[in-house]
């Protein structure tokens, strides 16, 4: 019943700062990744609840969420409009949901999960047309996320380049049990110009292993 925020979940301060930079961009893709049960949806909910406060990076934005199912309820405010949609009720697939959402002129689209090539390509198109897209992805770490995303894109060079150029951040997390509580282990890669250029060069050189370079 309590809306998760970065304060309430005691999230890593460095990760919050990196997410603030990534979500402060006018477009692009922000991925939160990890195994099932690692708290990815909670982290995305904390981004919405924390970054939509007055004078934060998502203040004065129109946000559409596409979820399966809806797990957290978000409240619109005088300066933020949030429209939550559920798979099977409001849209038939995440790919179709993103395309339909673009016609509603949102600033931000939150996608419950990137499951296949259609969703990844739709997210790329949303980023390319000036929208900020946030989603989750099942992968163990940052390097594994990039590898799996490119695998879903059939390692197509043009699509891979499109993806890299749209990425703002990949945040990977997992839960570690310690005594009677769980700790969250995180790693992230914030895609600045230098990193993006480096990864573009790697993709254009088929002899280089991208996961090794990221690690």
């Amino acid at each position: 019943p309590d809306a998760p925020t970065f304060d309430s979940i005691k999230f890593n301060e460095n990760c919050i700062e990196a997410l603030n930079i990534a979500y402060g961009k006018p477009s692009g893709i922000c991925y939160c990744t990890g195994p099932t049960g690692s708290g990815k949806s909670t982290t995305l909910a904390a981004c919405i609840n924390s970054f939509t406060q007055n004078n934060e990076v998502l203040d004065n934005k129109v946000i559409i969420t596409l979820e399966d199912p809806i797990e957290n309820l978000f409240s619109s405010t005088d300066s933020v409009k949030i429209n939550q949609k559920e798979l099977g009720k409001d849209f038939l697939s995440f790919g179709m949901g993103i395309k339909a959402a673009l016609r509603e002129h949102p600033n931000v689209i939150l996608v419950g999960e990137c499951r296949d090539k259609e969703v990844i390509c739709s997210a790329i198109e949303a980023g390319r047309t000036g929208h900020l897209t946030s989603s989750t992805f099942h992968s163990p770490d940052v390097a594994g996320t990039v590898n799996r995303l490119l695998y879903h894109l059939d390692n197509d060079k043009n699509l891979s380049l499109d993806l890299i150029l749209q990425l703002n951040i990949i945040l990977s997390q997992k839960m570690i049990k310690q005594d009677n509580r769980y700790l969250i282990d995180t790693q992230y890669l914030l895609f600045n110009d230098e990193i993006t250029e480096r990864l573009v060069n790697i993709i254009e050189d088929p002899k280089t292993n991208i996961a090794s370079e990221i690690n």
Side-chain angles (χ1 to χ4, degrees):
D2 297 325
T5 65
F6 288 128
D7 289 336
S8 67
I9 65 175
K10 298 180 174 60
F11 210 63
N12 180 280
E13 290 292 336
N14 290 331
C15 291
I16 297 173
E17 183 179 350
L19 288 167
N20 188 75
I21 294 171
Y23 279 81
K25 296 183 179 181
S27 63
I29 305 173
C30 303
Y31 278 116
C32 182
T33 76
T36 301
S38 60
K40 299 186 295 295
S41 297
T42 300
T43 298
L44 290 192
C47 286
I48 298 295
N49 290 322
S50 299
F51 293 156
T52 54
Q53 299 301 308
N54 287 338
N55 299 318
E56 295 291 341
V57 291
L58 295 184
D59 192 14
N60 294 307
K61 303 293 185 184
V62 175
I63 302 171
I64 293 177
T65 75
L66 308 171
E67 304 174 66
D68 179 31
I70 291 176
E71 296 181 51
N72 297 278
L73 295 178
F74 303 114
S75 299
S76 296
T77 66
D78 290 340
S79 59
V80 178
K81 180 182 178 182
I82 304 177
N83 185 5
Q84 293 185 259
K85 300 185 179 186
E86 190 167 78
L87 180 68
K89 296 180 180 180
D90 304 300
F91 59 97
L92 297 178
S93 72
F94 283 117
M96 294 175 65
I98 294 173
K99 293 174 184 176
L102 294 178
R103 294 194 288 269
E104 299 182 41
H105 306 293
N107 304 105
V108 181
I109 303 173
L110 186 150
V111 184
E113 184 182 349
C114 268
R115 297 176 175 173
D116 51 39
K117 182 177 180 179
E118 179 192 16
V119 186
I120 298 170
C121 288
S122 296
I124 292 172
E125 184 61 25
R128 195 161 46 191
T129 53
H131 304 82
L132 183 70
T133 304
S134 176
S135 188
T136 67
F137 193 74
H138 287 278
S139 54
D141 50 33
V142 170
T145 299
V146 175
N147 256 359
R148 287 201 63 196
L149 286 169
L150 298 184
Y151 170 79
H152 279 294
L153 294 175
D154 303 320
N155 288 305
D156 179 280
K157 181 178 178 180
N158 290 329
L159 289 177
S160 298
L161 290 172
D162 283 344
L163 172 68
I164 295 301
L165 290 172
Q166 295 306 321
L167 286 174
N168 289 356
I169 191 173
I170 295 174
L171 170 73
S172 295
Q173 59 184 62
K174 58 184 176 181
M175 305 297 287
I176 300 175
K177 190 172 184 179
Q178 186 179 85
D179 300 325
N180 294 321
R181 61 177 181 160
Y182 283 90
L183 302 179
I184 184 166
D185 180 31
T186 55
Q187 66 170 225
Y188 67 85
L189 180 62
L190 192 61
F191 286 75
N192 57 29
D193 291 341
E194 181 182 355
I195 290 174
T196 298
E197 182 180 359
R198 175 62 179 157
L199 293 179
V200 166
N201 291 335
I202 292 171
I203 290 173
E204 291 180 335
D205 180 6
K207 298 178 182 177
T208 308
N209 184 287
I210 193 167
S212 298
E213 289 291 329
I214 292 175
N215 280 325

